[in-house]
Structure formats: C-alpha cells, structure tokens
Amino acid sequence: MASNDIPSNKIHTPVLLERCVELLAPALEQPGAVLVDATLGMGGHAEAILSRFPGLTLVGLDRDTEALAIAEERLKGFGDRVHLVHTVYDGIGEALDGLGITEVAGVLFDLGVSSLQIDRVERGFSYSKDAPLDMRMDGTAGLTAASILADYSERDLKRIFQDYGEEKLSARYAKAIVEARETTPFVRSAQLVDVITKATPVVVQRQGHPAKRVFQALRIEVNQELAVLERAIPAALERVQVGGRIVVMAYQSLEDRIVKRALAAASGSTAPAGLPVELPEHKPLFTLLLRGAELASDEEKAINPRATPVRLRAAERLRRAAA
C-alpha cells in the first residue's frame, strides 16, 4: 500500500496536542493570525489547530516530501488557509518571505524523528528492524547513514557518536566499524547492529539496546539536526509578533539544550551588570511561559508512548527591539 493511501489519523498521534493548543491559543485567537508549523509532519497538530481557530492561516514546513504529500491530502479541506513549503525549518524566514508574510502569531516545533519516519521500516531509522541504512528525513538529500559509515574516518565516527549520541563506548564502536567495513560495506541496519552488539560488553548490553545511541548520532549527522536547530530557533523568534508565542517540543537532551539556551537569551535582560536602573532598551524581548521544561503527564504517556521523553518549552514576545 502506498504511503498516501494510509489514513494519516491511523499513523500519527500528535504529542501534547491539547497543551500546545492551550499555550498557543491567546495568540492564535487574534484576527488574521498566522501560525507556522515548522515541523509539519503528517499534519496532526495542524489539522486540530486549524479546526479550532477558523480565522487562522497556517504555514507548514517540512523537509520530508512523503510527509508533505500526506499532510497536503489531510489538510486540503482548509483550502487557501494552508500554505505548505518543502524546506528544512531553518528556512522559516525564506519561506515566509516567499509568501509575503513578515510576522506571525505563533510558531510550533515538534522536533526529532517523526512517527512516519519511525514507522516506515524502509527509511532505516530503527535499530530494531533490518532496513537500508538511509536515515534521510529529506529523501532528495545526498548524505545517508551508509555513506557516513563508508567514508568517515575512525576519528570522525568517534566524534559524532560521542557528541550526538553521548555514547561512552564511541571509540570502541568507531574502531569496530572501520575494521568491519574493510571486508564488507555497511548497507543494512542489521549489519551495523551486529557489529555494535559484538563490540559491546555483556554487562553493558543488559542496560539497554547497545545500538540506540549510535543510530541517534547517525540520524543527527545525516540530517544536520542540531546545526539546523541552532539557526532555526533564533530565525523563528525573529518572526514572532508582539503578543505572539513560540512552542517547542524536544525529545532528547541535545535538542532541549539548544532550545533552552535560545529562549533564555531572548527572555533575559541585556542591561550591563551593576546598572542601577534597567533602561527600556535593555528589557527582555520575550517572557518564558513555563518554568523550565514541562514533561508529559502519566496519562499522556499511556495514551501516546512517544510522548514519554518530550520536553516542552514556550515563550511570548513582549516587545520589539528598538530599530
């Protein structure tokens, strides 16, 4: 069955949907509001939000052409209220410029690998099922997990496993991969899982699947997820209007750290230390809507297990910087 023939509501349960709507609502209720769903996926959040705010215009961004096709079908009933753009989310500024939109009422990010990408075995994101070592979120991009495993030096493999997977055995795994590829190139995920498992002490294997962090690191490197996110959050904040809101869901600590840092910078005073009075131009541009990162409730986790690792952060723009 072709992907577009599968009912999207059967393969995607939006994470923290009600909480996201609650946080965005004060901004989206305004006349002429525009929301950017920067990680549209199959349109689960978008469909619900468009239904609840009949005056809303939605701009949906995604690098995954398969997801965009599913979302387009799902959202076609909303007509010209929906504009879909094939781009990585750090292209938010260019996407809005292309539509003639300068500011938006809200921005929503649902980071990490999507339900579609996890569920499509042939995309190669899962270490639990054998598939080609692809891991591209954008099937039109060039770099794949297989090409990384074939071409990267032992030193570079160790670096990405350590930096992007926070893997303690990064050196051991990099060495094992370089040795194994001398005889057989890595083309399928089962090969990689086998090499990693054999290189993992039994006591470590008992602590969880040994390939989990390596697969995460490869996925991040293939899609340049952290570098893109470093650019995307400031670009999104720049487009939020006064009274507008940004809501971000992250699923692992590396992503959340970037989001936390960007929102903290935007919501902090720029007044020099020791200044007796904070001048208006030094006042924060944003205010945080949550104390720290909010986690999914036990009820949410039971309904949607993919919400288990989520960390939710949100902010509202208070003012524009003086020109």
Side-chain angles (χ1 to χ4, degrees):
M1 179 182 285
S3 63
N4 291 5
D5 296 331
I6 299 176
S8 54
N9 62 340
K10 298 296 184 185
I11 53 177
H12 182 216
T13 302
V15 173
L16 294 180
L17 174 61
E18 295 303 323
R19 187 63 173 129
C20 289
V21 170
E22 180 183 5
L23 287 166
L24 289 167
L28 302 189
E29 289 166 348
Q30 303 305 313
V34 176
L35 170 70
V36 177
D37 187 337
T39 49
L40 181 68
M42 291 177 288
H45 288 96
E47 181 182 38
I49 293 171
L50 281 163
S51 298
R52 298 190 199 192
F53 302 95
L56 180 71
T57 296
L58 180 122
V59 177
L61 315 181
D62 210 291
R63 69 171 93 192
D64 189 330
T65 54
E66 185 181 7
L68 277 173
I70 292 173
E72 183 176 23
E73 178 66 23
R74 183 175 194 167
L75 303 176
K76 66 180 181 181
F78 297 103
D80 61 6
R81 294 173 57 202
V82 175
H83 304 277
L84 304 186
V85 183
H86 177 221
T87 185
V88 186
Y89 41 74
D90 64 343
I92 184 172
E94 292 84 351
L96 290 173
D97 287 344
L99 296 167
I101 299 170
T102 56
E103 291 187 322
V104 299
V107 181
L108 175 65
F109 283 91
D110 186 8
L111 301 172
V113 63
S114 75
S115 297
L116 173 65
Q117 291 154 353
I118 293 171
D119 292 341
R120 294 283 187 243
V121 173
E122 67 273 15
R123 303 288 291 272
F125 287 97
S126 175
Y127 50 81
S128 61
K129 296 175 182 175
D130 186 33
L133 280 163
D134 191 321
M135 299 195 193
R136 289 174 297 174
M137 292 178 175
D138 180 352
T140 66
L143 189 65
T144 67
S147 59
I148 289 172
L149 293 169
D151 300 334
Y152 278 32
S153 67
E154 181 176 334
R155 180 179 179 179
D156 283 339
L157 288 171
K158 175 188 173 184
R159 173 184 57 79
I160 65 170
F161 297 160
Q162 187 170 302
D163 292 351
Y164 299 159
E166 300 178 298
E167 174 54 66
K168 295 177 181 178
L169 298 178
S170 57
R172 181 190 289 247
Y173 291 154
K175 184 173 186 293
I177 287 166
V178 170
E179 289 175 352
R181 75 186 183 191
E182 290 178 0
T183 54
T184 308
F186 287 93
V187 293
R188 298 191 67 85
S189 56
Q191 293 173 264
L192 179 58
V193 169
D194 183 58
V195 168
I196 291 172
T197 302
K198 287 177 178 176
T200 306
V202 175
V203 66
V204 177
Q205 291 185 36
R206 296 194 188 109
Q207 298 170 9
H209 200 295
K212 179 179 180 180
R213 294 180 181 276
V214 169
F215 271 64
Q216 173 182 299
L218 286 170
R219 189 199 81 217
I220 289 173
E221 178 70 6
V222 166
N223 299 289
Q224 292 295 296
E225 292 174 47
L226 300 183
V228 167
L229 187 60
E230 291 270 14
R231 298 188 294 269
I233 299 298
L237 289 170
E238 179 58 31
R239 293 302 184 120
V240 175
Q241 65 195 39
V242 174
R245 294 184 168 198
I246 182 170
V247 173
V248 186
M249 289 177 283
Y251 294 83
Q252 41 99 343
S253 60
L254 297 172
E255 290 175 339
D256 185 55
R257 213 170 292 151
I258 292 171
V259 176
K260 177 183 178 181
R261 195 162 55 234
L263 294 186
S267 60
S269 170
T270 59
L275 201 68
V277 178
E278 184 183 47
L279 300 174
E281 60 265 31
H282 294 309
K283 289 184 180 298
L285 302 179
F286 284 80
T287 184
L288 300 180
L289 298 173
L290 303 172
R291 289 181 60 119
E294 190 171 293
L295 308 180
S297 66
D298 290 339
E299 182 182 2
E300 172 88 14
K301 293 174 188 176
I303 295 170
N304 188 2
R306 286 179 182 162
T308 300
V310 73
R311 299 168 173 90
L312 175 71
R313 296 182 186 274
E316 177 180 330
R317 180 180 283 280
L318 300 174
R319 67 178 187 91
R320 278 272 172 202

